[in-house]
Amino acid sequence: MTLNAKVTLFFIGIAAGLLAVLIAISLYAFRIFSIASATEHIQTAAEIVRTHLTESMVNGVIDKREGFLQRLTKLQGLESVRVIRSPEVEQQFGKGLHGETAADELERSVLREGKPRFDLLNGNDTVFRGIIPYIASASDTPNCLQCHHVKDGAVLGAISMSMPIESLKHKALVTVAGIGGTVAFFMLMLILLLRRLLRPISDTANAVEEAVQRALRGDFKAHVEQQTNDEIGQIATDMNRLLTFLDEGLNRIGHNVARLTKRTPTPGENLLTATIDMVESLTGAAHFKRAIEGDESQLEIYQRLARTLKSEFHQEECSLYEVSSDKKHMQVIMVDGAAADTCRWCDPQVMVRPEACRAHRTGHLVDGVGDPAICTAFRPPAEAGERRHICFPIMQSGSVGSVVQILSRPETASDLRKAIPFINVYLRETAPVLETKRLMVSLRDSTLRDPMTGLNNRRFLEEYAEILIASVQRKRTQAAILMLDLDYFKMVNDTYGHDAGDAVLKALATVLKQSVRAVDLVIRYGGEEFVIILLDTVGVAAELVAENIRARVEELQVPIAGIVLKKTISIGIADFPNDSKTFWQAVKFADVALYQAKEQGRNRVIRFTSSMWSDDKEY
C-alpha cells in the first residue's frame, strides 16, 4: 500500500469517526432538547388547566371543563388532555365525567406519590406523555381546603397529557443530516486537498524506492522527477545527484579495477556487485601476497597457493608445475592440492619436453573450457571421467616460470571460467614473489658455488660442515677427506695464460665429479686446490678412489691453442673422526698429507699418519 493510500485511509477513518461522534452527539442533544421542550410545554399546559379549573369551580362552571380541554388540545398542539380525580375527590364529589379515573398504573402512582411523571412512547408516531399532580394547599388563593375536605398537601388529582414529537424528531434528523452532510463535504474537500498535497511526497517516495531498487541491481541511471520546490523537491534533486555520483564513481572504480583484474564486464551485470567482488578479490590478493612474502621457500608458496585456490575458489583439482632454471624440463610440485612428483592430467612428456605444454610454449592462458581440444598434452585418465581444464602461466623474468592447471567437470566449467580474472589476480601477485624467491636461491647458490667450475666453493663447505658433522655423529660412521692440488699449475698460467689455466681447472672439475658418487662432495677449496669428502668411506676404499682420480688426471689431455696439456695431481687423505675428532683438524691433516705428497715427488696419494703431525697445539 502506498503512502498516499495509507494517509488517505487514515484521514478517512478519522473523518468517519469524527462524523459519527458528531451525529451521535447531535442526535442526543436534539433528543434531550425535544424532551426538555415537551416537558416544559406540558408543564405550562398543566398550569393553564389548573388555573382554568380553579376559576371554573369558583365561578360555578366546572361542568364546562370538557370543552375547554378539547379546545386546549387544538391550540397547544397536544394530542390528548385528561383530568384525573384522586380517590379523596371522588369520595367527596363522585367520579366526575367519563375518563377522569386513573387509567393505568403510571397515573395511579402519580396520585399516590404526588410527583410528576414523564414518559416517551414509541409507536407509529413518537409521543411524549406527562402526568402532573395537583396538590392541595391552604396557602394558595383561593384556598383549596375551603372546597376540598382533604389535608394540606394531599393530591387532589392530576392532569395527563400527551403530545406528538414526531415532527421534532423529523426536524432533528433533517438538521443532523444537514450538519453531517456539511461536515462530510468539508472533510471530503480536506481529504482531497490533503491527497493533492501528499501526491508529490508519495510520487517522490515511489520514485526514490524504484531508484533504490534499480541501484541494488547495479543500475544507477534512474531519475527522480522534481515536482515541487520545497523539501520534497530538494530530496529528488539530491537523490539524482547521488545516483549520478554513484554511477560515475562506480564506473570509474569498476573500469580501473577491471583493468587491474583484466576482467571484461558482461552486459546487464550488477555493477555494484561486480565492483565489490573485484575489490574483494584485490584485497584478498593483497593479503595473500603479504602472506607468501613471509614464506621461506617456493614450496611453501606453492602450498599456500593450492590452499587458496581450494578455499577461495573451491577448486579441488589443481596441479602446479615448475620450469627448471635451464628451461629444459618441468617438475611436478603438486597434483590435486597434494605434493606429488608425477603428473596425472597431462602427457608425462611435458616433464622432459616443456615445449609440449601449450601454456609454457605460448606464455598465454590455455582455455580448455571453451575449446576442450586446444592442448594435445592434456590427457586425463579414463577412470577420472570427463574434465575441462584451464592452464595459467606464471611469468617470471619475461618467461614462464610455473604453470597452474585447474580442472573442473563440464557442468561446473562455466563457474571456473567466471573465476579466471580473479584467479589471475592471485597469480599476478604470486609471480614476483616466486621470482624473488628463485633469485634468492640462485643468489645463494652463486655465493656457495664456484662460477668457473660449477663446483661448490669453500664457503659452502664452511656452512655444510655442521650438517656433515651431525650426520656422521648420528650415524656413527666415517668420512674420508681428500685434499687435492695440481702439480706445477702456476707454470700453466705463466706459460700459456690464465685462459689455459681455466681450461685445465674445468677439465679437472669434470674428472673429479665423474670419479665420485653423487652423494660425495667435490669442492674447489681455492686456486688449484680441491677438497673431496667421501661419505661412509675410509681406509683402503678412500685410497682406491684417490688413486683412481690420480690416474685419470695423469691420463687427462687438455687441448689448448694447438697444443695438448697434461698435468698430474697430488692427494692427501685423512679420516674423520678416526684421525681427528674435530672436522677442521681432519681437513688440516689431509692438507698435511698433501704436503707430504708434494715433498715426496708429487703425482701420488699419501694417507695421513700421526707421525706427520708434530705440533702439540690443537687446530
Side-chain angles (χ1 to χ4, degrees), residues 398-439:
S399 61
V400 179
S402 306
V403 175
V404 176
Q405 182 186 60
I406 301 179
L407 298 99
S408 71
R409 299 183 184 275
E411 58 269 18
T412 60
S414 59
D415 295 334
L416 173 58
R417 214 173 187 188
K418 292 178 183 178
I420 288 177
F422 305 107
I423 295 176
N424 268 326
V425 172
Y426 280 81
L427 298 184
R428 191 169 64 247
E429 298 294 343
T430 303
V433 181
L434 278 175
E435 185 173 2
T436 300
K437 298 296 182 183
R438 177 175 287 191
L439 290 176

Side-chain angles (χ1 to χ4, degrees), residues 162-224:
S162 63
M163 61 177 297
I165 59 172
E166 183 67 27
S167 60
L168 291 176
K169 179 179 178 182
H170 179 71
K171 291 177 181 180
L173 291 176
V174 171
T175 303
V176 171
I179 294 173
T182 303
V183 172
F185 174 75
F186 281 103
M187 285 186 174
L188 179 61
M189 293 297 102
L190 179 63
I191 291 174
L192 292 177
L193 178 61
L194 184 64
R195 282 180 60 85
R196 184 177 180 83
L197 293 175
L198 287 176
R199 183 168 295 281
I201 300 176
S202 176
D203 292 345
T204 302
N206 292 334
V208 169
E209 180 186 8
E210 181 182 357
V212 171
Q213 292 298 326
R214 290 177 61 180
L216 292 175
R217 296 192 297 270
D219 179 9
F220 296 90
K221 299 187 181 302
H223 179 77
V224 180

Side-chain angles (χ1 to χ4, degrees), residues 362-375:
T362 64
H364 298 299
L365 181 141
V366 178
D367 186 359
V369 174
D371 184 3
I374 190 170
C375 182

Side-chain angles (χ1 to χ4, degrees), residues 211-249:
V212 171
Q213 292 298 326
R214 290 177 61 180
L216 292 175
R217 296 192 297 270
D219 179 9
F220 296 90
K221 299 187 181 302
H223 179 77
V224 180
E225 182 181 357
Q226 181 181 356
Q227 299 186 14
T228 61
N229 294 322
D230 53 13
E231 295 86 351
I232 302 304
Q234 188 63 39
I235 289 175
T237 301
D238 293 342
M239 186 67 184
N240 292 331
R241 291 175 56 195
L242 176 62
L243 290 173
T244 302
F245 176 76
L246 290 175
D247 184 51
E248 294 176 353

